[in-house]
Amino acid sequence: MTKNAHAIAATQTKARIDAELMGIAGAVLLGLTLLFAAGFAQASVLHDTAHDMRHAMSFPCH
Ligand SMILES: [Zn+2]
């Protein structure tokens, strides 16, 4: 392999690794987004349930 071809091959390898890292980063970001979305949705459900319980027990709240 010539010196130039070697440099091109190294660049392509780096580009492939960068693409893989971007894919992993994207997957992690998507996972965290879903995790936080589910966490907030669950917190909202818990809040609404607690709120409904207060009203069910005639507890003054608003
Ligand atoms: Zn209320």
Side-chain angles (χ1 to χ4, degrees):
M1 193 181 285
T2 65
K3 192 175 178 182
N4 196 30
H6 197 85
I8 290 167
T11 303
Q12 286 171 342
T13 301
K14 189 183 182 307
R16 200 181 69 230
I17 290 168
D18 285 349
E20 285 174 6
L21 285 175
M22 286 299 287
I24 291 165
V28 169
L29 195 66
L30 183 66
L32 286 174
T33 302
L34 288 172
L35 192 69
F36 277 103
F40 281 123
Q42 199 168 13
S44 175
V45 168
L46 286 172
H47 175 89
D48 288 346
T49 303
H51 186 208
D52 289 347
M53 282 301 290
R54 279 204 297 271
H55 281 272
M57 293 187 296
S58 302
F59 194 84
C61 100
H62 62 95

